[in-house]
Amino acid sequence: MHFRIEQWRAWAPGLESLDDWRTWCAAPVRVADGQQQPDVSFLPAMQRRRLSRLARMLFQVAWPLAEAYPALPLIFASRHGETPRTLAILGDLARDEPLSPTQFSLSVHNAIIGQWSILRGDTSEMTAVAAAGDGLEHAMLEASMLLGEGAPAVLLVIAEEAPPAVYAPYIDDVPFPYAVALLLTPGDDWHLQLCTGAGQQAEWPHPLSLLRALCSGQPTLVHHWKNRQWLWSHNKA
Amino acid sequence: MSDLQLEIKHLIIEALGLEDMEAADIGADLPLFGEGLGLDSVDALELGLAIQKRFGIKIDAEAKDTREHFANVASLAAFVAARQSA
């Protein structure tokens, strides 16, 4: 598949501006999570009150990219989704307490894209993907199909929230909470190809490795997950 | 304003995550749903649950007069007071 990465934005605790990310990409470190909230003050208070931090992360990175497009299909990928919400619900169940309707209705994986659709008034096709360590590439596949169908642009957002402490021993692919948004358009700049082959797992989650490549102008990336080998190559025309 | 009304205002702000809002912003006779505070049907369920938990009373969501009890803070306080003394 091939596409153009028109623009990107990212958020992590303490990493908000493009300069923050350039610095991080040059010398990546595990950033500390001080429970900072992404700024979504562009939304009225009554609209943002139900947004979890994961949802706020998506809105923060994606909103400016969507501004030029009244209708923009969205692919949202997250391996772990709203684990803090589902854990809260499980806790209520274990204590035999009634479930919060808000927590329950917003715990499903496509709740965030539903909120996005409502708040933007955009009824374009939107998809929520929960894939494993190569969720970025599976989301790219979804986006490429939409571009192939004729969409002038597709928004791709991949985000992970820090897992609650009780899950932390089982989750090793979220070094810190992060969200990456890519505005994709048809083009031949980037090629992404799937091969079979095992290899070493990348040090950072694939979306963060991609940001490093975008910042440094690195022309190729090889991402492995299980027996899947994804080859990214930038076509320097 | 009664203590119970004030407690209910705090409960509404806390249970419904009304950022940037204080008890003084919610008048006792301000309509909670639709025009007024602007709460919606999910809020109605969430607030009903919060009232039941806090005051240990049962609310029948199907009962006709439930809608009237939830009209504003004053009616809600009167409803809670009546149930607690029953």
Side-chain angles (χ1 to χ4, degrees), chain A residues 37-189:
Chain A
Q37 291 282 344
D39 179 20
V40 287
S41 54
F42 50 85
L43 295 172
M46 283 302 273
Q47 293 188 356
R48 64 175 185 252
R49 67 203 168 99
R50 285 184 189 139
L51 301 178
S52 63
R53 184 165 73 160
L54 185 64
R56 286 165 196 247
M57 283 160 55
L58 175 139
F59 276 76
Q60 212 275 339
V61 295
W63 196 271
L65 300 188
E67 264 173 9
Y69 298 87
L72 185 62
L74 170 66
I75 310 294
F76 166 62
S78 180
R79 183 180 191 182
H80 304 289
E82 295 272 28
T83 44
R85 280 200 202 274
T86 44
L87 184 66
I89 292 171
L90 291 171
D92 285 341
L93 278 174
R95 287 186 297 273
D96 231 0
E97 285 177 9
L99 302 186
S100 154
T102 313
Q103 291 281 23
F104 183 73
S105 63
L106 296 180
S107 63
V108 294
H109 203 58
N110 56 9
I112 291 179
I113 58 174
Q115 289 170 300
W116 173 266
S117 173
I118 291 168
L119 296 187
R120 286 207 63 83
D122 186 350
T123 54
S124 301
E125 182 165 337
M126 298 186 190
T127 305
V129 181
D134 51 359
L136 170 65
E137 285 79 6
H138 284 102
M140 288 299 323
L141 180 60
E142 292 286 332
S144 294
M145 288 192 284
L146 288 168
L147 292 174
E149 258 187 354
V154 175
L155 188 55
L156 186 160
V157 181
I158 183 159
E160 297 293 351
E161 174 58 290
V166 65
Y167 294 143
Y170 311 99
I171 294 178
D172 63 359
D173 60 348
V174 185
F176 49 82
Y178 66 88
V180 174
L182 305 173
L183 180 64
L184 304 167
T185 52
D188 207 29
D189 292 29

Side-chain angles (χ1 to χ4, degrees), chain B:
Chain B
M1 180 169 59
S2 72
D3 288 349
L4 183 56
Q5 288 188 0
L6 185 62
E7 186 176 358
I8 288 174
K9 289 179 187 180
H10 284 301
L11 186 66
I12 290 172
I13 290 169
E14 181 193 326
L16 308 182
L18 300 179
E19 295 180 21
D20 310 335
M21 203 167 257
E22 291 174 31
D25 299 330
I26 307 175
D29 55 357
L30 177 78
L32 296 179
F33 297 93
E35 296 292 312
L37 193 55
L39 302 180
D40 61 22
S41 59
V42 176
D43 292 313
L45 292 169
E46 196 71 40
L47 181 56
L49 183 70
I51 295 272
Q52 294 185 73
K53 273 189 177 175
R54 172 71 62 92
F55 300 105
I57 58 177
K58 274 270 166 217
I59 298 171
D60 181 358
E62 302 300 317
K64 272 188 192 153
D65 50 2
T66 299
R67 186 176 284 261
E68 288 153 34
H69 297 321
F70 278 71
N72 54 45
V73 169
S75 62
L76 206 44
F79 168 69
V80 170
R83 280 301 179 89
Q84 282 184 321
S85 62

